[in-house]
Amino acid sequence: EQAKQHAYCDNPDYNWNYTINADFWDDFDIDCLAPDFDDVFELSSFDAMVYTYQKFSRRLHVPCPDNTASACDLAGIAGRRTVLDRVRHLKARNMTVCTCTLQQDSFMMGVDQLVLAVQHSFSGDATSNYLEASSTQPEASDALRTIRTCVKKP
C-alpha cells in the first residue's frame, strides 16, 4: 500500500545498467520495502548511517537430480532477478550440482521521515563565565536545555 505513494517504486525509469559485465552493480526491478528501524539505521560513537537502498543477494549451491533443467526453479529462494542459474554434472564425483543466485534491489521507504535528534552538553571555562547546558537536563528550564550548535567549514 505504501509503495503506491512513491513514484520510484517498481518504476523502470530508476533502473541502472552499469555495464553488461558487472551484474551486481546493475539495478533493475527495484521495489520498495517498509523496513524495521534496525534494518536501515546504524549508530556508533563516531557516526550514524541511514540506508536508503539495499541490494539483497541469495545463493543456493546444492546437489540436485541429474535431469534438473533450472537450478533456480528448484531453489525456492526469494529474489526478482536471476544472476546465476547453473546446473553442472561433476563426472569425478558422479553427481549433479545446482547453483542459483537471485538478487533483489529495494528502496527503503520511510527513511525520509526519520528525525535526527542529538543529545549533547557542554561546559565552558572562565572566558564564558563557566556557562553549562545540556539537552538532557529534565529539571532545567528550556533555556538551559536548548543548545544552539553552529557547524562551520574549517
Side-chain angles (χ1 to χ4, degrees):
E1 186 65 33
Q2 280 183 319
K4 294 177 185 176
Q5 298 172 5
H6 300 287
Y8 50 83
C9 299
D10 295 307
N11 185 339
D13 291 342
Y14 290 87
N15 288 349
W16 173 254
N17 188 6
Y18 179 71
T19 177
I20 294 170
N21 297 322
D23 292 335
F24 181 82
W25 299 110
D26 295 339
D27 301 318
F28 294 106
D29 300 320
I30 308 165
D31 67 1
C32 287
L33 294 178
D36 289 333
F37 181 73
D38 291 346
D39 293 337
V40 297
F41 187 75
E42 288 184 25
L43 181 65
S44 76
S45 353
F46 298 102
D47 51 38
M49 175 68 93
V50 177
Y51 298 98
T52 59
Y53 187 87
Q54 289 188 8
K55 183 177 287 287
F56 298 98
S57 291
R58 293 167 182 91
R59 182 175 184 190
L60 182 70
H61 183 76
V62 294
C64 57
D66 289 342
N67 62 350
T68 302
S70 167
C72 290
D73 288 346
L74 184 73
I77 55 178
R80 287 175 128 175
R81 186 158 40 110
T82 301
V83 175
L84 178 66
D85 187 353
R86 182 174 61 200
V87 178
R88 294 187 315 162
H89 185 71
L90 306 175
K91 290 182 183 179
R93 293 186 176 178
N94 193 27
M95 67 185 293
T96 302
V97 176
C98 288
T99 305
C100 174
T101 303
L102 296 178
Q103 198 168 69
Q104 180 60 54
D105 304 312
S106 302
F107 290 114
M108 300 290 106
M109 294 184 347
V111 295
D112 55 337
Q113 304 293 318
L114 289 177
V115 175
L116 176 64
V118 180
Q119 294 181 348
H120 64 289
S121 60
F122 75 92
S123 58
D125 58 15
T127 59
S128 65
N129 293 325
Y130 298 100
L131 181 65
E132 291 184 342
S134 172
S135 62
T136 60
Q137 291 178 345
E139 68 282 344
S141 67
D142 284 344
L144 285 178
R145 281 199 309 267
T146 302
I147 302 172
R148 294 199 172 123
T149 304
C150 299
V151 180
K152 294 169 77 175
K153 278 188 171 182

